[in-house]
Amino acid sequence: MWGLGVLIHLLGVGALRVSQDPGEVQVTAGDEVALGCQVLVAEPWDLLRLEWVKDTGHRVLCATRLRPAAPATPAHCVPRLRMAWHPPRATLSLRQARGDDAGGYFCRVTLEI
């Protein structure tokens, strides 16, 4: 069973809100699973870093940098994972789940200046 949580880096109160779904999911070996992350930014921004991190070792699984007026650049992900960005939502998809994939997955979002 995988648990999800949220890590948030804020520049100011209410500047950035991140939520994840589903809160918890059970997956059978070989299945595909999708985890969602909604990103709401209250103020204009130039650069947003979005990463999916696994709780074991806090290893970055996927990472990308986003600009508000530019198309999303392809995310750099470890094998079997892919990330899609459809503002304001990022989705992490895992193909062919295995036992060592169990754990907590966190969407980490940072406004960069």
Side-chain angles (χ1 to χ4, degrees), residues 8-56:
I8 303 174
H9 299 277
L10 294 176
L11 291 179
V13 176
L16 178 64
R17 283 190 15 202
V18 179
S19 61
Q20 287 184 226
D21 62 82
E24 196 171 291
V25 64
Q26 290 185 356
V27 178
T28 304
D31 284 354
E32 181 170 334
V33 64
L35 306 174
C37 175
Q38 184 166 331
V39 180
L40 300 173
V41 184
E43 300 170 9
W45 53 278
D46 291 322
L47 187 60
L48 187 77
R49 182 174 34 152
L50 192 138
E51 300 170 312
W52 281 95
V53 180
K54 187 172 179 186
D55 63 355
T56 308

Side-chain angles (χ1 to χ4, degrees), residues 37-39 66 72 83-91:
C37 175
Q38 184 166 331
V39 180
L66 305 165
M83 180 171 35
W85 172 248
H86 302 286
R89 187 170 177 78
T91 303

Side-chain angles (χ1 to χ4, degrees), residues 55-91:
D55 63 355
T56 308
H58 301 283
R59 178 177 170 211
V60 175
L61 303 172
C62 281
T64 191
R65 284 193 163 87
L66 305 165
R67 296 192 181 276
T73 57
H76 300 284
C77 299
V78 300
R80 296 183 308 112
L81 292 175
R82 69 179 180 273
M83 180 171 35
W85 172 248
H86 302 286
R89 187 170 177 78
T91 303

